[in-house]
Amino acid sequence: HIFHIMFKSIALQAIRKSVRATSLSSPGLQQQVATRAFATAGFPPPRLFDYETVTSNLTVADAIESVEAAFKALAKGKVDVPMPMHIGIEESSVAGPGDCHIKGGYVSATPTFTVKLACVSFYKNVEKGLPPGSGIFIVVNAVTGAPLGVFQENRFMTDL
């Protein structure tokens, strides 16, 4: 709950600052806004691979080859896999119940790293004709930090 309040507060501050920035026209402020725009512009948007594309192009053989390579690198101490993050969504009039898990990893000396976001246990979705979980993988350029692709896999890649 405290994180929700904190993020809401930060978002409101950002909105207030952007309103002030657009109403003020000092040269220093214009330079600050231009610098921030330059710092965030320039990366092409990541490619989106929807569920249909993912499921029609990945095979069990692809998964086996990738998992074997990853475990070999792990055995050699060449993988950085931080502890998973968990967000519990308690049931209320506006949310849940459900859980979100965020995991990631990097294999040393490779050009990308991956972050996975999995939403699970949203069992009330079944009443709405929706699956109880969803998930995406984000593949990121390990040189620039730019997201390269977003794979909407809804557990397909996990279950392979």
Side-chain angles (χ1 to χ4, degrees):
H1 183 66
I2 188 71
F3 289 114
H4 175 71
I5 294 168
M6 184 176 68
F7 283 103
K8 184 176 179 182
S9 174
I10 291 168
L12 288 173
Q13 288 175 11
I15 291 167
R16 285 187 202 112
K17 285 181 181 179
S18 69
V19 168
R20 274 189 255 134
T22 57
S23 64
L24 299 174
S25 60
S26 71
L29 183 58
Q30 289 175 357
Q31 176 63 37
Q32 183 181 8
V33 171
T35 302
R36 285 187 181 164
F38 177 74
T40 59
F43 289 128
R47 291 188 57 195
L48 175 61
F49 297 89
D50 63 13
Y51 182 77
E52 172 89 19
T53 302
V54 170
T55 58
S56 63
N57 286 284
L58 285 179
T59 66
V60 172
D62 296 326
I64 290 171
E65 183 180 325
S66 297
V67 170
E68 284 179 348
F71 274 108
K72 285 179 185 176
L74 181 64
K76 294 176 183 176
K78 301 288 186 184
V79 179
D80 182 11
V81 183
M83 292 296 296
M85 185 171 108
H86 173 260
I87 301 170
I89 312 299
E90 65 183 48
E91 186 171 7
S92 71
S93 62
V94 297
D99 293 283
C100 177
H101 305 153
I102 302 166
K103 303 170 184 174
Y106 174 66
V107 178
S108 294
T110 59
T112 61
F113 65 93
T114 303
V115 177
K116 172 187 176 183
L117 181 139
C119 293
V120 297
S121 306
F122 284 82
Y123 296 115
K124 290 198 170 190
N125 280 355
V126 175
E127 299 166 6
K128 302 170 191 164
L130 298 169
S134 65
I136 61 171
F137 279 72
I138 303 168
V139 177
V140 181
N141 183 309
V143 175
T144 65
L148 299 174
V150 178
F151 295 77
Q152 180 189 15
E153 54 90 42
N154 296 339
R155 295 190 43 99
F156 177 79
M157 292 166 64
T158 302
D159 292 343
L160 273 180

